[in-house]
């Protein structure tokens, strides 16, 4: 229990009226924050209590350790850990982190100097649990029954103000979801000791400006007047014609960075027009509007001693928040008098000298105000329904809360915390909650709370430390405008809709061909293709959609799958869909029957393990497999993994597949369909391809496998009808999704970069690694992060392709139907979308080429190694010049393979470059931030060979920064003893890490501290290189040795004896050093090598330590495999 509460709790302990419920509260919550009440003074009637807990303050190490332990104990009580031993190990690591990150400073609680508790890094699962529990503990919120729906958007790697604005706007747009709002918290890095932490100036993401006129009148929201002044002073230019519905820009301020002004994109600026179905003209004249959703930004989360000062969260409105408070309150928009006038509610009331509303008796005024308030609240709710934006009403919210609280009390013996001042509905006693009576007003942690400091005041203090010639802030364009176009028949329900078409309708060309096609002549000169019946499906088939994940991607994909399946089988009596998406753990033995289909989305965690919400499923299958039965249920699995974990890629999905097969399951759509988040963070492209396979099977079931008919004209089919395949029908839709996703990634994720140098220079004979330097402009990046490089096609090759296609580069390519705004030009398409170095995918367009020797032409074309070769070959034959058919060009474009990104570890530290590198210059004369990467040269490498050899510097390309798989673990142990094993281009992240530690050492020297302490954190380096690569490492190794950062160094060049660097780990002198660092000093191992090298290194460490290195070191064994 926090010492802060000792007086408060001692008072409570002496209270003669305390109940058994209070004892239950104390038993179940080890960390209770103060409510400010004592036995003499109760603050229940105050809106804001005098000593409410805040974030943004220094706390003693004792308090932080206590709160961390309390949080982990709560996780343990909720079966978060497999057993007590796992809990004890986690607690030990957390306490070590808190102590390692502790600093001396002023402790706010008692105004004394002491040791301030450091931060510890919570896993995404731990953080999401903490967020949900904090919402459940929010005693002022009536919407807490939805707390388990809250999703985490983990933005803890974002450390710049511009990055905060960009990622928050992008995340908010996704969570808003066109009105079907997904409750989501967007969590930025936590506050560090002695720092203020990241902050957001706005109280909400969407808030109206308030302008005060010289006469004291206000246009807009009176609550925003002061903030509007501050943002204008910061550099924002409001509209020339100021109105009462002007949205403020978003202002974000990362720790140690300048604030950034970000204008909101158009998709977030659309307001809900408030109208009334009975008084439409009257409300139209009032011109009332409101924002579509609340997204609070000045509240933070206090979770296990870690303070998240910037953690905005989005939900939906309760109607009374707008209709009874925001628009109606006299100190806000105060529209009730206007509504009284508009509805003419005073008619007949002005008698006996009364000529104004203010002169009426109070009971008359109250009646009119109540009527106006009621009509306004009704109009608000009706308007949100018409706009298809989520909203709840007061009665529903109140009943949900009462039911949720009652159920909680039945299970636990005490009620949830509740502040009656906030929970009491604004409509009063007509809402049953008003009569509920008193509730225990206590405050457990985790909790939601305010910051101790106003961000504008923090900036007023900090800006004195910055020097700039004029206005320092910039208004940045963060997101390209984008539209979510809806079409009447989407790719999701396209196939089934087509199957239901009548035979007499306009002929269609798409023909599925899973079963043999039999031609049956029909009237109207068409052929109807019917399938041979496949095996009869059982009627009343039930489909269950399940997911298993430590994060949120699998759940989101499962929800998307649920929507698609529901649309596809709508109206079918043969197939039923389970009521909702569930976790894999909810699966029971009774579900494994022949009439069941399981569609499972699985994300891997850890070393390819099944996540926690699939552990009970795993245990169930293990028990069943000892007595297998022929159950005959069918299943399909979508695996979501990261290929950077080479040895465990999609391991969880593979294990789930094995379990299901062992207990009698039958694969529905082939082997596990795998997706790679290293290629696409949210793998929609792979998911859509999986769906293309599934929808054929499911639609067969939905129509009870009756004979299905697709119409195709004889002229369209020609003589090649026997070659039409499933891809003919579904390929087009899959391609559309591919190009849409690729375009969105280019617009939202990637930014321009310039290749400015390679070392050594690229030549035909060089076979080792290259150090490649890119200029990324104003983009900042984290140390130890990863960079995705999109090696665009060179301008010369794009021009050659345009000439061969006989097309103007400014012409749009219609690769995304009905979405012309998203379609690229031919020049952009050939440069950034497709890979001209690869061959065409399927050559289906060949049948449209008219040539005297079609067969020999096709053979020659298929022998070409690249699309560019094919295009120029056809151009040379004058084939494309004569056939100026836009549909042919379009079909060729749809057959082109997408340009793929290449992933590299960052090989430079931006903080080091700015502080220590004499060649680095601040942004001037076009120079920007530099980033180095180490690239292994492959003879057929798309980036290392084709791009680097063809380009002339400076050369443009696209890049996207992201966290590497090891970045969080290495940052957590940034000053721990370190043992590094790296080979070849795997030295890249090692170079970055060494630069970072040099930067820390230089800072300590500048601050007057001794750098000799660094020796205790010395690095042991075991490096294996080709002889040509050693020159790339010498400079940084010499500098690290100068700063006494390297404790020992072993370099093994390529040799005829085949001695490898991991062999050196087993030398007796090395063994002694490694054991001491790992077993006595809690050192960390970082391995960066190829798969075979990683496997051999693990075996070497097992020999050194006498057991599995992963089991012995856990999170202290960090591996990157390339």
């Amino acid at each position: 229990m926090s010492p802060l509460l000792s007086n408060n709790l001692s008072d409570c302990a002496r209270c003669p009226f305390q109940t058994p419920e209070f004892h239950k509260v104390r038993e179940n919550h080890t960390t209770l924050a103060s409510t400010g009440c004592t036995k003499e003074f109760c603050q229940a009637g105050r809106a804001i209590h005098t000593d409410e807990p805040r974030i943004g303050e220094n706390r003693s190490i004792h308090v932080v350790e206590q709160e961390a332990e309390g949080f982990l104990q709560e996780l343990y009580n909720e079966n978060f850990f497999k057993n007590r031993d796992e809990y004890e190990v986690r607690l030990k690591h957390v306490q070590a982190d808190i102590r390692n990150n502790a600093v001396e400073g002023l402790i706010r609680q008692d105004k004394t100097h002491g040791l301030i508790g450091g931060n510890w890094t919570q896993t995404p699962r731990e953080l999401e649990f903490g967020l949900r529990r904090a919402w459940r503990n929010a005693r002022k919120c009536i919407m807490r029954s939805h707390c388990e729906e809250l999703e985490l958007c983990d933005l803890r790697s974002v450390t710049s103000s511009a990055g905060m604005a960009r990622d928050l706007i992008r995340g908010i747009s996704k969570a808003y979801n066109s009105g079907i709002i997904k409750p989501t918290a967007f969590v930025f890095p936590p506050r560090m000791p002695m720092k203020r932490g990241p902050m957001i100036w706005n109280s909400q993401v969407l808030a109206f400006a308030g302008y005060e006129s010289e006469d004291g009148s206000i246009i807009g929201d009176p609550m925003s007047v002061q903030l509007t002044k501050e943002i204008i002073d910061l550099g924002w230019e409001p509209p020339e014609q100021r109105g009462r519905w002007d949205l403020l820009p978003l202002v974000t301020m990362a720790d140690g960075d300048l604030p950034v002004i970000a204008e909101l994109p158009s998709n977030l600026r659309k307001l809900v027009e408030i109208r009334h179905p009975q008084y439409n003209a009257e409300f139209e004249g009032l011109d009332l509007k409101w924002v579509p959703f609340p997204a609070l930004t000045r509240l933070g989360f206090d979770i296990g001693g870690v303070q998240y000062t910037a953690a905005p969260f989005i939900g939906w409105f309760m109607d009374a928040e707008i209709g009874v408070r925001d628009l109606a309150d006299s100190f806000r928009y105060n529209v009730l008098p206007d509504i009284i006038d508009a509805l003419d509610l005073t008619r007949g009331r002005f008698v006996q000298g009364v000529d104004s509303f203010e002169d009426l008796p109070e009971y008359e005024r109250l009646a009119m105000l109540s009527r106006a308030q009621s009509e306004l609240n009704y109009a608000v709710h009706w308007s949100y329904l018409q706009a298809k934006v989520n909203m709840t009403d007061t009665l529903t919210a109140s009943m949900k809360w009462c039911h949720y609280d009652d159920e909680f009390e039945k299970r636990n013996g005490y009620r949830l915390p509740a502040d009656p001042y906030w929970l009491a509905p604004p409509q009063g006693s007509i809402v049953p909650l008003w009569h509920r009576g008193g509730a225990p007003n206590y405050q457990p942690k985790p909790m939601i709370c305010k910051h101790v400091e106003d961000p504008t005041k923090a900036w007023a203090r900090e800006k004195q430390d910055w020097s700039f010639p004029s206005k320092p802030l910039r208004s940045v364009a963060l997101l390209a405008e984008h539209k979510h176009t809806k079409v009447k028949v989407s790719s999701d329900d396209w196939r089934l809709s087509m199957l239901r078409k009548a035979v007499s309708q306009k002929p269609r060309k798409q023909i599925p061909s899973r079963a043999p096609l039999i031609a049956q002549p029909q009237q109207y000169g068409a052929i109807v293709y019917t399938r041979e019946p496949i095996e009869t499906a059982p009627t009343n088939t039930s489909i269950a959609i399940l997911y298993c994940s430590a994060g949120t991607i699998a759940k989101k994909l499962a929800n998307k799958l649920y929507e698609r399946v529901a649309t596809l089988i709508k109206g079918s009596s043969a197939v039923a869909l389970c009521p909702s998406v569930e976790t894999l753990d909810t699966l029971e033995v009774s579900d494994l029957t022949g009439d069941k289909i399981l569609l499972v989305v699985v994300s891997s965690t850890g070393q390819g393990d099944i996540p926690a919400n699939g552990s009970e499923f795993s245990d169930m299958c293990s028990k069943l497999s000892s007595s297998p039965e022929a159950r005959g249920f069918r299943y399909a699995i979508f695996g979501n993994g990261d290929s950077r974990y080479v040895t465990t890629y999609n391991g969880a999905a593979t294990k789930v597949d094995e379990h299901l097969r062992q207990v009698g399951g039958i694969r529905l759509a082939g082997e596990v369909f795998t997706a790679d988040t290293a290629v696409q963070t949210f793998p929609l492209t792979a998911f859509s391809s999986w769906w293309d396979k599934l929808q054929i099977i499911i639609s067969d079931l939905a129509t009870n496998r009756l004979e299905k008919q697709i119409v195709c004209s004889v002229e369209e089919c020609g003589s090649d009808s026997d070659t039409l395949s499933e891809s003919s029908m579904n390929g087009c839709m899959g391609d559309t999704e591919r190009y849409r996703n690729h375009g969105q990634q280019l617009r939202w994720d990637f930014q321009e970069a310039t290749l400015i140098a390679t070392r050594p220079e690229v030549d035909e004979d060089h076979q080792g690694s290259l150090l490649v330097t890119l200029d990324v402009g104003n983009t900042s990046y984290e140390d130890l992060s990863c960079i995705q490089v999109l090696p665009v096609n060179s301008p010369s090759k794009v021009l050659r392709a345009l000439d061969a296609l006989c097309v103007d580069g400014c012409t749009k390519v219609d690769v995304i139907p009905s979405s012309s705004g998203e379609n690229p030009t031919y020049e952009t398409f050939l440069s950034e979308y497709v890979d001209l170095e690869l061959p065409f995918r399927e050559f289906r367009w060949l049948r449209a080429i008219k040539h005297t020797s079609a067969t020999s032409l096709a053979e020659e074309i298929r022998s070409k190694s690249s699309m560019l070769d094919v295009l120029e070959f056809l151009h040379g034959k004058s084939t494309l010049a004569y056939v100026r058919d836009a549909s042919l060009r379009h079909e060729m474009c749809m057959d082109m393979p997408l340009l793929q990104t290449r992933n590299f570890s960052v090989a430079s530290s931006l903080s080091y470059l700015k502080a220590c590198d004499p060649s680095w210059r601040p942004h001037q004369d076009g120079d920007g931030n530099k980033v180095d990467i180490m690239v292994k040269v492959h003879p057929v490498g798309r980036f290392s060979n084709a791009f680097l050899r063809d380009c002339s510097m400076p050369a443009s390309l696209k890049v996207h920064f992201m966290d590497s798989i090891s970045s969080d673990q290495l940052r957590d142990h940034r000053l721990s003893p370190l043992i590094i094993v790296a080979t070849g281009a795997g030295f890249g992240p090692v170079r970055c890490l060494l630069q970072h530690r040099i930067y820390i050492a230089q800072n300590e020297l500048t601050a007057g501290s001794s750098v000799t302490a660094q020796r205790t954190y010395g690095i042991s380096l075991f490096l294996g290189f080709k002889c040509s690569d050693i020159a790339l490492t010498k400079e940084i190794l010499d500098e690290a040795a100068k700063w006494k950062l390297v404790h020992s160094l072993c370099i093994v060049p390529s040799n005829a004896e085949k001695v490898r660097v991991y062999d050196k780990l087993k030398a007796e002198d090395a063994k002694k050093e490694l054991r001491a660092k790992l077993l006595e000093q809690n050192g960390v191992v970082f391995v960066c090598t190829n798969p075979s090298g990683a496997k051999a290194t693990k075996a070497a460490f097992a020999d050194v330590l006498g057991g599995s290195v992963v089991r012995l070191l856990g999170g202290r064994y960090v591996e990157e495999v390339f």
Side-chain angles (χ1 to χ4, degrees):
M1 192 81 60
S2 170
L4 179 67
L5 311 178
S6 58
N7 294 335
N8 182 255
L9 292 179
S10 61
D11 288 339
C12 293
R14 295 193 299 269
C15 176
F17 303 106
Q18 61 178 308
T19 65
E21 183 180 41
F22 185 76
H23 287 297
K24 283 278 189 182
V25 170
R26 295 187 65 183
E27 287 171 6
N28 286 275
H29 297 285
T30 57
T31 307
L32 288 171
S34 173
T35 60
C37 297
T38 68
K39 65 177 182 177
E40 294 88 10
F41 178 61
C42 177
Q43 298 202 51
R46 288 179 178 267
I48 306 296
H49 295 190
T50 54
D51 65 343
E52 284 195 357
R54 303 290 180 105
I55 51 174
E57 58 186 21
N58 294 328
R59 298 172 185 167
S60 71
I61 190 169
H62 173 68
V63 169
V64 174
E65 287 181 328
Q66 201 169 48
E67 294 192 0
E69 183 175 359
F71 177 61
L72 292 174
Q73 181 64 46
E74 190 169 4
L75 289 169
Y76 177 76
N77 295 340
E78 296 289 338
N79 299 316
F80 189 88
F81 300 105
K82 293 178 182 177
N83 49 50
R84 190 71 186 179
D85 289 343
E86 186 178 352
Y87 160 78
E88 295 289 351
V89 170
R90 179 60 173 147
L91 176 61
K92 183 179 178 181
H93 289 163
V94 168
Q95 289 174 334
D97 285 347
I98 293 171
R99 292 164 190 159
N100 289 339
N101 296 323
V103 298
E104 292 283 343
L106 182 66
I107 299 171
R108 184 174 183 269
Q109 176 186 329
D110 52 13
K111 309 298 182 189
T112 61
H113 279 270
L115 196 58
I116 300 168
N119 275 355
W120 59 284
T121 301
Q122 292 158 349
T123 67
R125 274 189 71 218
E126 290 170 345
L127 178 54
E128 188 171 73
F129 176 91
L131 295 169
R132 292 174 174 176
R133 194 49 52 94
W135 190 7
R136 195 185 80 176
N137 293 339
R139 53 199 172 92
K140 300 177 181 180
C141 179
I142 199 174
M143 306 288 285
R144 285 177 274 168
S145 59
H146 296 278
C147 64
E148 294 304 318
E149 300 170 27
L150 184 65
E151 295 184 359
L152 164 66
C153 180
D154 195 344
L155 302 175
R156 287 178 290 175
S157 62
V158 180
T159 56
S160 67
S161 299
M164 286 178 65
R166 178 196 63 230
D167 288 354
L168 177 56
I169 290 174
R170 180 184 300 159
I172 285 284
S173 299
K174 292 180 181 178
Y176 174 52
N177 194 29
S178 300
I180 307 172
I181 298 167
K182 301 175 182 178
T184 307
F186 307 90
V187 182
F188 292 100
R191 171 189 179 271
M192 302 295 288
M194 303 296 291
K195 303 287 187 180
R196 61 163 166 80
M199 302 177 80
I200 298 173
W201 286 29
N202 313 62
S203 59
Q204 298 222 27
V205 170
L206 302 182
F208 297 114
Y211 310 104
E212 187 172 14
S213 306
E214 293 181 0
D215 61 1
S217 62
I218 294 173
I219 301 172
D221 192 345
M223 192 173 75
S224 300
V225 168
Q226 185 57 40
L227 178 61
T228 303
K229 290 179 180 176
E230 300 282 0
I231 296 178
I232 290 174
D233 289 343
L234 196 63
W236 179 55
E237 296 180 3
E240 290 185 16
Q241 296 294 325
R242 300 183 180 186
R244 55 180 184 160
W245 310 116
D246 295 344
L247 283 172
L248 286 169
L250 186 67
V251 181
T252 53
M253 187 166 66
D255 201 352
D257 197 4
L258 295 165
V260 161
I261 300 171
E263 291 287 2
L264 299 169
S266 60
N267 65 306
L268 294 182
R269 301 181 71 85
K270 186 178 180 181
L271 305 178
V272 177
E273 308 274 352
I274 308 301
R275 298 292 184 264
H276 196 297
Q278 294 175 312
Y279 305 106
N280 186 58
E282 291 84 350
F283 270 76
E284 187 172 351
L286 291 169
D287 188 34
L288 301 180
K289 307 174 184 180
W290 205 251
V291 298
F293 58 84
L296 302 173
T297 48
R298 276 208 191 179
L299 295 178
F301 288 82
D302 191 347
I303 301 173
V306 181
Q307 304 175 49
Y308 296 98
T309 54
F313 50 99
I314 180 177
W316 53 80
F317 280 116
M318 184 174 72
D319 51 17
E321 290 178 86
I322 304 168
V324 180
R325 299 300 312 274
D326 297 327
L327 288 174
D329 279 343
S330 58
F331 51 88
R332 294 291 297 284
Y333 275 84
N334 193 28
V335 302
L336 294 186
D338 298 331
I339 292 175
I340 290 171
D341 289 341
L343 302 186
D344 200 15
L345 299 182
T346 58
R347 180 186 300 174
R349 304 296 179 94
F350 293 161
V351 295
Q352 297 178 350
V354 176
D355 57 6
S356 69
F357 174 76
E358 287 72 23
D359 293 336
L360 286 170
E362 299 300 326
Y363 75 94
E364 291 271 16
R365 293 177 60 200
L366 181 59
M368 293 180 199
L369 288 169
S370 298
R371 167 75 187 281
Q373 183 190 78
S374 177
E375 297 294 353
L376 174 59
N377 201 58
Y378 181 86
V380 166
H381 200 106
W382 184 83
S383 300
Y384 276 70
L385 287 175
Q386 301 309 303
K388 295 181 173 57
V389 175
N390 281 14
M391 172 174 273
T392 190
D393 62 273
T394 310
L395 277 172
T396 300
S398 298
M399 289 188 291
K400 277 188 174 181
W401 159 248
C402 293
H403 177 73
Y404 183 68
D405 192 30
D406 290 341
E407 289 297 312
F408 182 88
E409 184 181 22
K410 287 178 185 177
R411 292 194 308 270
N412 300 283
Y414 65 98
R415 291 168 65 184
L416 288 165
D419 188 333
Y421 183 97
W422 290 87
L423 288 188
Q427 290 94 330
S429 62
I430 62 173
V431 180
L433 177 59
W434 193 86
H435 302 281
R436 189 170 173 81
N441 191 7
Y442 60 98
Q443 182 57 70
K445 289 189 177 183
M447 66 178 294
I448 301 172
C449 48
K450 293 183 177 180
H451 199 289
V452 294
E453 191 172 23
D454 184 300
T456 61
K457 293 179 180 177
W459 168 242
R461 182 187 70 250
E462 292 176 9
K463 69 181 179 182
Q464 302 171 19
D465 299 328
W466 295 83
S467 59
F468 22 72
S470 57
K471 285 189 175 180
L473 282 301
R474 62 271 192 205
S475 180
V476 293
L478 296 164
L479 287 175
E481 299 287 322
H482 60 283
K483 300 177 180 178
H484 302 286
T485 306
K486 294 182 179 178
V487 292
K488 290 183 179 179
V489 181
S490 68
S491 60
D492 302 346
D493 58 5
W494 173 81
R495 182 179 186 272
L496 193 57
S497 297
M498 290 299 299
L499 295 179
R500 290 171 177 161
K501 298 288 184 182
V503 172
S504 60
Q505 284 187 293
K506 184 178 179 179
R508 299 279 183 169
K509 188 172 182 177
Q510 292 83 1
I511 301 177
S513 60
R514 286 177 59 253
L517 291 171
I518 304 173
Q520 297 181 355
Q522 299 286 316
Q523 55 181 334
Y524 311 118
I527 294 177
V528 176
Y529 284 88
T530 64
R531 291 193 187 280
E532 288 281 7
I534 312 174
E535 77 268 23
T536 304
T539 57
N540 300 319
T541 299
S542 176
I543 299 177
I545 296 177
L546 308 158
Y547 74 93
C548 181
S549 173
T552 62
I553 291 178
K555 184 177 181 181
K556 291 177 180 178
L557 291 174
N559 286 330
K560 190 175 288 292
L561 178 63
Y562 187 93
E563 294 168 2
R564 295 188 179 191
V565 172
T567 301
L568 191 62
I569 67 173
K570 186 176 181 180
S572 170
S573 60
V575 181
L577 182 61
C578 289
S580 61
V581 173
E582 301 289 349
T583 63
L584 193 55
D585 269 351
T586 62
L587 195 66
E588 298 180 358
V589 177
S590 58
D591 296 320
L592 306 179
T593 57
D595 61 346
K596 289 290 194 300
I597 290 178
L598 311 179
L599 305 180
V600 190
V601 183
V602 182
S603 290
S604 296
T605 186
Q607 300 295 314
D609 301 321
I610 295 177
N613 52 11
S615 58
E616 292 180 17
F617 157 81
S618 181
D619 293 341
M620 177 189 74
C621 291
S622 298
K623 293 174 183 176
L624 289 175
S625 62
S626 60
S627 56
E629 301 174 16
R631 293 184 172 83
F633 66 91
R634 288 161 292 173
Y635 70 92
I637 299 175
F638 182 84
N640 185 42
D642 189 328
S643 62
R644 291 172 290 175
Y645 292 91
V646 175
T647 57
T648 59
Y649 175 55
N650 265 306
T654 302
K655 291 171 184 175
V656 171
D657 178 57
E658 291 172 357
H659 281 318
L660 291 174
R661 293 184 70 190
Q662 286 171 359
V663 298
I666 301 169
R667 287 174 176 163
L668 186 69
E671 296 185 354
V672 174
F673 197 101
T674 57
D676 188 359
T677 55
V679 175
Q680 188 177 29
T681 305
F682 190 66
L684 273 178
T685 303
F687 179 78
S688 296
S689 298
W690 185 53
W691 173 245
D692 286 343
K693 296 179 67 175
L694 281 183
Q695 66 177 339
I696 295 175
I697 301 167
I698 295 172
S699 61
D700 282 346
L701 295 170
T703 52
N704 209 12
R705 294 192 189 254
L706 296 175
E707 190 174 71
K708 289 170 283 295
Q709 299 180 332
I710 303 291
V711 180
C712 180
S713 71
V714 176
E715 291 77 16
E716 285 181 321
C717 285
S719 59
D720 293 329
S721 58
D722 60 322
T723 66
L724 292 173
S725 64
E726 181 178 310
S727 61
S728 303
M729 179 177 182
N730 295 306
C732 185
M733 283 303 181
D735 291 337
T736 295
E737 196 70 18
R738 287 190 314 129
Y739 292 126
R740 177 181 283 112
N741 291 335
H742 189 82
Q744 288 176 346
Q745 280 191 292
L746 286 175
R747 288 194 298 275
W748 297 349
D749 294 338
F750 282 82
Q751 57 258 1
E752 297 286 345
T754 306
L755 171 67
I756 57 176
T758 65
R759 205 176 87 198
E761 293 184 0
V762 181
D763 59 50
E764 296 292 335
D765 299 325
H766 186 73
Q767 298 299 318
S769 298
L770 300 171
L771 188 65
V772 177
T773 303
L774 307 176
D775 185 325
V776 293
N778 291 331
T779 302
S780 297
Y781 58 90
E782 295 284 346
D783 292 343
L784 300 171
S785 58
C786 182
I787 184 172
Q788 288 186 314
V789 175
L790 189 73
V792 299
N793 296 301
S794 66
S796 61
K797 289 187 175 180
V798 171
L799 286 174
R800 286 164 57 191
L802 289 171
D803 288 343
L805 283 168
C806 304
V807 68
D808 187 333
C810 297
T811 304
K812 292 269 190 174
V813 190
D814 295 328
V815 290
I816 306 173
S818 305
S819 301
S820 58
E822 295 185 63
N823 280 320
T825 63
Y826 269 96
E827 182 176 359
T828 300
F829 181 79
L830 294 171
S831 173
E832 300 175 4
Y833 278 66
V834 298
D835 194 339
L836 294 175
E837 304 294 333
L838 294 178
F840 283 97
R841 294 187 300 149
E842 298 183 28
F843 291 97
R844 293 198 304 269
W845 46 269
L846 270 176
R847 64 181 181 273
I849 299 289
K850 308 299 182 185
H851 196 268
T852 53
S853 179
T855 303
S856 61
L857 178 68
E859 291 175 355
E860 283 189 76
I861 287 174
R862 291 179 187 276
S863 69
K864 302 297 179 185
S865 61
S866 73
M867 290 190 296
L868 187 57
D869 290 341
V870 170
L871 293 175
E872 292 187 323
F873 172 77
L874 291 174
H875 184 68
K877 296 280 186 181
S878 300
T879 304
L880 295 179
Y882 288 119
V883 185
R884 296 181 179 274
D885 184 359
S887 63
L888 172 61
R889 280 198 299 268
H890 177 265
E891 195 170 354
M892 293 176 74
C893 288
M894 298 299 279
D895 195 31
M896 294 179 177
L898 279 178
L899 189 61
Q900 299 295 324
T901 59
R902 271 64 182 171
N903 299 332
F904 300 97
S905 295
V906 165
S908 56
S909 164
L910 187 57
S911 53
Y912 166 89
L913 293 177
K914 291 181 177 180
C916 309
D917 188 349
S919 66
W920 186 88
R921 292 183 296 169
H923 308 308
Q924 59 184 12
D925 302 327
D927 286 342
N929 290 332
K930 307 297 189 300
V931 62
D932 294 330
I933 55 177
M934 284 196 75
V935 179
K936 181 181 179 180
V937 175
H938 291 278
V940 292
R942 179 60 179 82
F943 179 67
S944 65
N945 189 299
F947 182 86
L948 293 179
R949 293 187 194 281
D950 285 352
C951 72
S952 55
M953 288 181 276
S956 295
L957 67 167
K958 300 272 190 176
V959 298
H960 168 56
F961 288 100
M962 55 192 290
D963 259 355
S964 72
I965 58 178
S966 60
S967 57
D968 284 342
Q969 292 165 288
L970 290 176
R971 289 176 197 145
D972 290 346
H973 302 283
R974 60 187 181 278
L975 291 180
S976 299
L978 191 57
I979 298 160
I980 295 176
V981 181
T983 62
F987 185 72
V990 180
R991 184 175 185 268
C992 172
L993 190 147
L994 291 174
Q995 287 186 352
H996 178 71
R997 290 207 174 181
I998 291 169
Y999 166 72
I1000 293 174
Q1002 188 180 60
N1003 272 2
E1004 288 189 357
L1005 185 64
T1006 304
S1009 303
S1010 171
V1011 296
T1012 56
Q1014 290 286 333
R1015 297 176 191 173
T1016 62
Y1017 305 118
I1019 302 171
S1020 300
L1021 287 168
F1022 294 83
L1023 307 175
F1025 299 118
K1026 290 185 176 180
C1027 295
S1028 59
D1029 291 346
I1030 294 177
L1032 297 178
T1033 69
K1034 185 177 185 306
E1035 184 179 348
I1036 190 64
L1037 291 176
D1038 287 347
E1039 190 173 4
K1042 168 188 156 187
W1043 286 97
K1044 299 184 173 68
L1045 299 179
V1046 178
H1047 181 261
S1048 60
L1049 173 63
C1050 174
I1051 296 179
V1052 180
S1054 299
N1055 56 85
E1057 293 78 17
K1058 301 295 183 183
V1059 175
R1060 301 293 184 238
V1061 66
Y1062 39 79
D1063 296 326
K1064 298 295 183 180
L1065 299 172
K1066 294 181 282 188
E1068 284 306 316
D1069 55 344
K1071 277 187 177 182
K1072 183 177 179 181
E1073 176 188 333
L1074 298 179
R1075 287 197 194 103
K1077 282 195 172 184
L1078 295 177
L1079 302 180
E1080 298 171 17
Q1081 302 172 28
N1082 288 322
V1084 176
V1085 175
F1086 178 40
V1087 178
C1088 195
T1089 183
N1090 57 41
S1092 60
K1095 184 177 180 180
T1097 301
K1098 273 184 182 173
F1101 272 110
D1103 180 68
V1104 171
L1105 300 177
S1108 166
V1109 65
V1110 175
R1111 180 177 57 81
L1112 291 171
L1113 299 186
R1116 291 188 290 127
Y1117 188 83
V1118 185
E1119 187 180 79
E1120 275 196 32
V1121 182
F1122 56 88

